[in-house]
Amino acid sequence: MELPLTEPFKTKMVENIYRSTGSEREMWIKEASLNLFNLRSEQVIIDLLTDSGTGAMSDKQWSAMMLGDESYAGASSFYKLKDAIKDLTGFNYFLPAHQGRAAENVLFSVLVKEGDIVPGNSHFDTTKGHIEFRKAQAVDCTIDEAGDTTSGHLFKGNVDLEKLEQVLKANPAEKISCVIVTVTNNTAGGQPVSMSNIREAGKLSHKYGVKFIIDAARFAENAYFIRMREDGYAEKEIRDIAREMFSYADGMTMSSKKDAIVNMGGFTAFREEGLYQLASTFNIIYEGFLTYGGMSGRDMNALAQGLYEGTELPYLESRINQVAYLGSKMKEYGIPLLEPYGGHAIFIDAKKFLPHIPKEEFPAQTLAIELYLEGGVRGVEIGALMADRDPVTRQNRYPDLEMVRLALPRRVYSNNHMDYVAAVVRNVFDRRNMVKRGVQIEWEAPIMRHFTVKLNRF
Ligand code: F0G
C-alpha cells in the first residue's frame, strides 16, 4: 500500500495541557468579558487563536540561538539573516523589526500620508489599522469569489485586476501610497494568490508608477499552493517559487512569526536603496539601530534558520495536510466551512452555522464563545467585530465573511488534537438551536476594538 505521509519531525520537549471542566470555563469566560483574548492560556485546552508566534522551534533553531551575536552594530547574526533574506527573496536591503506590524509601521511611515489610498487584497487588520491611523484609506480589491465560502476558486486570495486598475486610474499616482498584496490572503481565509496574479498586479502597479509591496507573512504556504495548483509549477522548488513571487515586488513586510516559525520577529526588505534609506530613519526611531531593529542577535539567528525550515517541502506538505485533515473531519460532520481550506487555518461560516443570530449580535463571536465553553477550544472571530467601525461614519462594518478562524500553530498539535477539535465543533453544531441570542458590546476601543472589547450576552 502507499505509505501515508508523516510529520517530518519528532517531539523532543512537551508542554502539559490542563483539561478544564465546563463549569470552570463558564466562570473564566465571564471574567474575560466574553473576549477570548482575555483568557489566560492555561484556561485553554487547544489554542487555535492564531498561528502567529505559536510554532515550535526546531533543535537547529534553538542551537542557532546560542550563537547569537548581541553586538549593537554589525552583529554577525544580522548578516546571517541578511544573507538568508537575500537568498529567499532577492531583496538586497532589509531592516529588522520586532514583528510584522512594526515592519508595517516603518514602511508606512515612508509611504502613507493623510488622504492617500492603499489598494490591496483584504488588508490584514494591523495593516488596515496603520493605514487608517494615518487617515488614509485601504481599498479592498480582492476578487468577488473570496466572499463566497462555497466557491471552489483555487486562488481566492487573488487581486481583482480590474478593480485594481480602476483605483489606479481614478487617482493620481502621488495619492496612492503603494499596492500591497498579502500572501496568503489571511482575511479571506488563508487563501493563496496565484503567481500570475502577483505578476499582473505588480505590472499594473508599475504601469501607473506605484510601488508594489508584498505582505509576506505566509509566503511559503502561498508558494506551496502555487506548486500544487498552478500550471507549470509542479516540479519547481518552493524556494524558487518564492523567489519568483518576490521578483515582481519593490519590497515586502514580513511577520516572521508565521512562515519563518519563530516566536517573535519581523522585517521589511527592499529592492532599491532609496526606499531602504528612507525607511532606515523610521527603523532607528521606532525599532532600533539598522542591524538589530527590535530583535536580539539570537532571535535573528533563529529566524535565519526558520526561513529555510519553513520553505521545506516535506514540512509544508505535513502542515497544509494537517489543516486539510481538520477541515475534512469537520466537513464530514456537516459543519459549514470556507472552502477550499486555507493554508494556516480552517474558517467556520458562522452565518450558516448560526443563521438565527442576526449580524448585529455578532454570530461568529457567539460561536467562538460556544466552542470555548464546549471543549476549551480557542478560535478567533474574523467578522464584524474585527471589521470595526467605519472611520468616517462610525457605523459598524459588516463584511461578507462572518467566520470563526481555527488557526493551527506550526509543529505543535497532533491529529488527535484535531479529532478533539472537530468533535467539539460537532457538539456545538448539534445543539446550535439552543444558542438563542448573540452578544452585544459593553465597551470598545476607538480602533482595533476586537482585541480589547468587552461583551455581554443579550
Ligand atoms: N500581515 C498578516 C497577513 C498577518 O496575518 C499579520 C498577523 C500581520 C501582518 C501582523 O504581524 O502579528 O507579527 O505584527 N497576523 C496574526 C494572525 C496576528 O493571527 O493572523 P504581527
Side-chain angles (χ1 to χ4, degrees):
M1 79 192 263
E2 196 181 333
L3 297 178
L5 285 175
T6 62
E7 289 76 7
F9 49 82
K10 53 187 176 175
T11 309
K12 201 179 290 223
M13 190 187 275
V14 295
E15 180 180 341
N16 287 324
I17 297 173
Y18 173 66
R19 291 198 208 172
S20 54
T21 62
S23 50
E24 281 175 324
R25 293 193 290 275
E26 188 74 53
M27 181 176 73
W28 292 332
I29 194 72
K30 266 197 206 120
E31 286 168 3
S33 301
L34 305 182
N35 178 346
L36 296 140
F37 284 99
N38 286 339
L39 291 170
R40 293 174 181 231
S41 72
E42 310 92 274
Q43 297 170 338
V44 174
I45 297 179
I46 308 281
D47 204 348
L48 307 184
L49 182 74
T50 179
D51 62 322
S52 181
T54 52
M57 290 213 298
S58 70
D59 49 358
K60 289 209 172 95
Q61 284 178 290
W62 281 108
S63 59
M65 289 191 83
M66 298 306 289
L67 300 174
D69 176 350
E70 306 302 344
S71 306
Y72 190 97
S76 65
S77 301
F78 170 82
Y79 288 102
K80 195 173 175 170
L81 179 53
K82 184 176 162 69
D83 288 346
I85 292 169
K86 164 81 185 162
D87 180 26
L88 294 172
T89 68
F91 292 132
N92 284 317
Y93 302 94
F94 110 93
L95 291 166
H98 75 273
Q99 63 182 94
R101 67 200 70 183
E104 291 165 0
N105 187 31
V106 168
L107 179 67
F108 291 167
S109 293
V110 177
L111 294 178
V112 183
K113 49 186 196 314
E114 189 170 337
D116 273 6
I117 288 170
V118 189
N121 58 339
S122 340
H123 312 64
F124 182 65
D125 56 348
T126 60
T127 318
K128 203 197 253 158
H130 275 297
I131 293 167
E132 293 179 349
F133 185 71
R134 289 174 170 80
K135 300 200 163 52
Q137 194 193 348
V139 179
D140 185 3
C141 300
T142 313
I143 57 169
D144 290 339
E145 286 88 339
D148 173 2
T149 55
T150 57
S151 153
H153 196 296
L154 293 178
F155 290 100
K156 263 190 189 176
N158 277 359
V159 179
D160 183 323
L161 297 167
E162 274 174 28
K163 285 187 202 164
L164 177 61
E165 183 149 29
Q166 269 172 17
V167 178
L168 291 169
K169 245 189 205 155
N171 297 280
E174 316 81 74
K175 273 202 81 173
I176 303 181
S177 320
C178 62
V179 169
I180 186 152
V181 169
T182 303
V183 296
T184 57
N185 185 330
N186 182 9
T187 311
Q191 300 293 315
V193 182
S194 73
M195 188 69 88
S196 67
N197 193 254
I198 296 173
R199 187 190 312 122
E200 293 310 313
K203 265 195 205 156
L204 210 52
S205 309
H206 293 147
K207 182 175 148 195
Y208 287 89
V210 173
K211 296 235 175 312
F212 183 62
I213 304 293
I214 293 182
D215 173 343
R218 299 180 182 84
F219 76 98
E221 289 167 7
N222 201 79
Y224 177 82
F225 282 120
I226 288 175
R227 188 179 197 271
M228 299 302 287
R229 296 181 182 174
E230 193 161 349
D231 284 348
Y233 290 92
E235 302 299 324
K236 292 231 162 96
E237 297 278 343
I238 293 292
R239 287 175 197 145
D240 287 334
I241 298 174
R243 288 176 190 117
E244 185 184 338
M245 284 162 46
F246 291 115
S247 74
Y248 304 118
D250 301 293
M252 66 186 282
T253 57
M254 176 76 185
S255 167
S256 310
K257 303 168 72 171
K258 283 84 170 174
D259 276 2
I261 330 181
V262 290
N263 304 117
M264 191 48 79
F267 58 87
T268 50
F270 309 99
R271 190 167 309 289
E272 302 294 340
E273 196 177 2
L275 200 48
Y276 161 78
Q277 273 174 343
L278 292 169
S280 295
T281 306
F282 293 103
N283 215 80
I284 294 171
I285 296 173
Y286 294 131
E287 292 296 295
F289 184 62
L290 307 179
T291 62
Y292 75 85
M295 294 187 74
S296 49
R298 55 182 169 271
D299 287 338
M300 288 193 279
N301 271 10
L303 171 52
Q305 172 67 21
L307 281 167
Y308 284 102
E309 293 182 15
T311 48
E312 273 168 18
L313 182 62
Y315 153 72
L316 282 166
E317 218 159 38
S318 92
R319 158 135 186 96
I320 307 237
N321 277 351
Q322 186 174 50
V323 175
Y325 176 81
L326 175 61
S328 54
K329 270 263 141 178
M330 281 163 53
K331 192 174 173 175
E332 201 181 299
Y333 299 151
I335 315 292
L337 302 175
L338 187 150
E339 291 183 72
Y341 307 135
H344 66 297
I346 292 297
F347 290 70
I348 307 173
D349 186 338
K351 276 190 204 163
K352 287 191 185 149
F353 197 113
L354 296 173
H356 53 289
I357 305 282
K359 64 180 192 307
E360 293 78 11
E361 296 183 18
F362 304 107
Q365 180 66 16
T366 305
L367 174 56
I369 294 164
E370 290 302 326
L371 298 182
Y372 174 70
L373 286 171
E374 177 68 28
V377 172
R378 173 158 71 171
V380 73
E381 188 251 22
I382 308 258
L385 258 189
M386 181 166 153
D388 230 316
R389 291 177 189 273
D390 183 287
V392 180
T393 67
R394 300 307 298 157
Q395 293 302 306
N396 277 320
R397 290 188 280 212
Y398 295 103
D400 290 343
L401 299 178
E402 173 74 16
M403 298 181 292
V404 174
R405 183 186 76 174
L406 303 176
L408 301 199
R410 294 167 179 78
R411 307 191 289 208
V412 170
Y413 291 115
S414 69
N415 283 2
N416 273 337
H417 290 119
M418 297 304 109
D419 288 342
Y420 175 88
V421 172
V424 166
V425 180
R426 181 189 180 148
N427 286 353
V428 176
F429 194 57
D430 288 347
R431 63 169 174 78
R432 63 190 180 282
N433 291 328
M434 284 152 66
V435 181
K436 299 282 183 225
R437 298 293 303 265
V439 294
Q440 62 185 343
I441 295 176
E442 187 183 300
W443 176 85
E444 66 184 282
I447 193 167
M448 311 208 69
R449 65 181 180 188
H450 58 294
F451 288 119
T452 51
V453 71
K454 289 185 183 172
L455 301 163
N456 53 45
R457 285 186 202 273
F458 272 97

